Amino acid sequence: IVNQKGGVGKTTTTQNLGYALSRKGKKVLLIDFDPQSSLTVCLGYDDTDSLPYTIATLMQMEMEDESLPEEHSEYVQTYRNEKEQVSYDFIPCSMELSAIEVSLVNAVCREGVLKNVLAELQAAYDYIIIDCSPSLGMLTINALVAAQAVIIPVTPEYLSAKGLEILLRNILRVKRKINPALEIEGILFTMFRDRIRLAHTVEDLVRNTYDAAIPIYDTRIPYSVRSGEAVICKQSVIEYESGNQVSVAYEALANEVLAKEVLEHEADTE
Ligand code: ADP
Ligand code: MG
């Protein structure tokens, strides 16, 4: 989940899409890959310094050629909602990740460190969702190299549509040079206010500019204060208020993501 602009709903999308996919029986791993560690805090870990392993320590170990612990359970945390019997795994983050970004510059194979960390884990999951930081630096490049697909949350304001151009150029560069398998899965409109004309103007602009080249999800995530309330309660919106329009939209997004998987599978077997 990537966009170099902050506050466009990357973390919210990671958490809710992750929850929705797990509720549908998929094995999901979320990675907090933003030094600000919002996802980690959203999942109930305020004191990130007390965690023995974070994505930062794993990246460090990989750069120093140390092997990761044998048991995944040592460094992968599990989030559980006992009431709904839903659970998924996640790897937390801490501020240390910003120091890692600096040391990546001198690392061997610096673009592929996250990919190597995840190589061990890939087989155990249907979906690994990476919550990126709001920048286009080396961390985001690592995420784009590790990923097979990109979801780009965009809020319908003019400036974020402008930034989209720069982001797309970067994604295509990574695809061309390092990760040919990378696909732009779709642009996702978030915090959409149906009654505000600007939202529609920007949506039309993005659709007219990119529709032929880049898929745009049919699902739009509406704006709702419930999103912020859920964060305070350390829950996804879906858990916080299941009938809420944002919850319903994230469930629909999960269905779109799953439908795409089926289509790709059919194409593979033809
Ligand atoms: P990012 O990870 O891109 O910085 P966040 O997911 O943290 O963005 O969202 C930024 C802020 O907007 C947060 O306070 C979050 O609670 C709020 N937010 C996210 N999605 C919505 C929504 N659909 N409606 C209203 N507020 C939202
Ligand atoms: Mg975030």
Side-chain angles (χ1 to χ4, degrees), residues 5-12 131 191 221-224 227-228 231 246:
K5 193 169 189 295
V8 295
K10 290 183 290 296
T11 302
T12 307
D131 181 20
M191 300 181 216
I221 311 298
Y223 183 93
S224 162
S227 283
V231 171
V246 173

Side-chain angles (χ1 to χ4, degrees), residues 1-2 17 115 122 126-132 140 142-153 171 174-175 179-187 215 217 257 260-261 264:
I1 316 285
V2 64
L17 180 60
K115 188 187 172 81
Q122 217 166 326
D126 299 310
Y127 290 94
I128 299 180
I129 308 178
I130 307 168
D131 181 20
C132 285
T140 298
N142 262 262
L144 292 174
V145 169
Q148 293 170 309
V150 185
I151 296 177
I152 306 171
I171 294 171
V174 171
K175 181 177 166 75
N179 182 9
L182 187 65
E183 293 299 338
I184 300 176
E185 187 95 357
I187 291 171
Y217 286 103
V257 168
K260 175 117 187 180
E261 178 191 54
E264 276 168 7

Side-chain angles (χ1 to χ4, degrees), residues 131-166:
D131 181 20
C132 285
S133 68
S135 91
L136 282 173
M138 199 40 83
L139 289 176
T140 298
I141 303 286
N142 262 262
L144 292 174
V145 169
Q148 293 170 309
V150 185
I151 296 177
I152 306 171
V154 169
T155 51
E157 316 150 13
Y158 180 66
L159 276 178
S160 89
K162 232 10 221 169
L164 191 58
E165 225 172 277
I166 300 166

Side-chain angles (χ1 to χ4, degrees), residues 152-162 164 187-212 214-222 256:
I152 306 171
V154 169
T155 51
E157 316 150 13
Y158 180 66
L159 276 178
S160 89
K162 232 10 221 169
L164 191 58
I187 291 171
L188 173 70
F189 285 108
T190 57
M191 300 181 216
F192 200 89
R193 277 182 263 212
D194 216 20
R195 279 161 41 203
I196 293 188
R197 184 159 5 124
L198 178 67
H200 292 278
T201 310
V202 174
E203 185 189 7
D204 290 346
L205 178 80
V206 172
R207 281 194 192 276
N208 293 337
T209 316
Y210 297 110
D211 206 19
I214 296 162
I216 297 171
Y217 286 103
D218 293 336
T219 306
R220 294 182 301 206
I221 311 298
E256 272 197 71

Side-chain angles (χ1 to χ4, degrees), residues 19-110:
Y19 191 83
L21 288 171
S22 340
R23 194 152 87 162
K24 291 172 193 297
K26 296 292 173 185
K27 276 228 71 170
V28 174
L29 171 68
L30 307 187
I31 314 269
D32 187 352
F33 208 47
D34 179 357
Q36 290 171 56
S37 310
S38 321
L39 181 65
T40 301
V41 174
C42 283
L43 295 179
Y45 290 78
D46 287 313
D47 182 15
T48 50
D49 292 335
S50 67
L51 293 162
Y53 293 103
T54 64
I55 196 65
T57 48
L58 300 177
M59 298 275 289
Q60 181 74 43
M61 291 169 81
E62 175 61 36
M63 282 193 284
E64 289 171 359
D65 283 329
E66 274 178 59
S67 42
L68 306 185
E70 278 214 3
E71 286 298 324
H72 294 166
S73 58
E74 281 191 51
Y75 56 93
V76 172
Q77 311 285 323
T78 303
Y79 176 87
R80 285 193 182 81
N81 180 321
E82 304 286 355
K83 212 170 100 212
E84 292 203 33
Q85 304 237 318
V86 174
S87 75
Y88 58 77
D89 290 346
F90 79 101
I91 300 180
C93 189
S94 74
M95 271 291 287
E96 253 180 274
L97 189 64
S98 42
I100 297 292
E101 177 156 35
V102 177
S103 47
L104 270 173
V105 173
N106 294 313
V108 180
C109 250
R110 57 188 181 170

